[in-house]
């Protein structure tokens, strides 16, 4: 799979709302904070690659 770049648009409880950067028309999706690296906050850019999220 190709890497996907995300932007954290919002944090709601135990979930971060992610929007793809490469395809802004895509729907935002909630992802459990437990699956994301420490230090995630609103406005942070993430890279999803090899089934793992990293902060960019």
């Amino acid at each position: 799979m190709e890497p996907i770049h995300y932007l954290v648009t919002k944090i709601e409880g135990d979930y971060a709302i992610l929007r793809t950067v490469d395809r802004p028309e895509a729907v935002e999706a909630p992802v459990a904070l437990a699956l994301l690296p420490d230090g995630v906050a609103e406005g942070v850019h993430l890279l999803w690659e090899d089934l793992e999220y990293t902060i960019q």
Side-chain angles (χ1 to χ4, degrees), residues 10 31 33 36 48:
K10 196 181 320 181
V31 175
L33 288 173
L36 301 176
W48 184 77

Side-chain angles (χ1 to χ4, degrees), residues 9-53:
T9 60
K10 196 181 320 181
I11 304 256
E12 294 182 340
D14 291 334
Y15 291 88
I17 309 301
L18 306 183
R19 178 177 50 90
T20 57
V21 175
D22 303 333
R23 298 177 308 185
E25 72 281 355
V27 176
E28 294 182 333
V31 175
L33 288 173
L35 298 175
L36 301 176
D38 290 337
V40 168
E42 291 181 12
V44 168
H45 287 265
L46 298 171
L47 174 67
W48 184 77
E49 187 173 37
D50 298 328
L51 304 176
E52 185 176 344
Y53 291 95

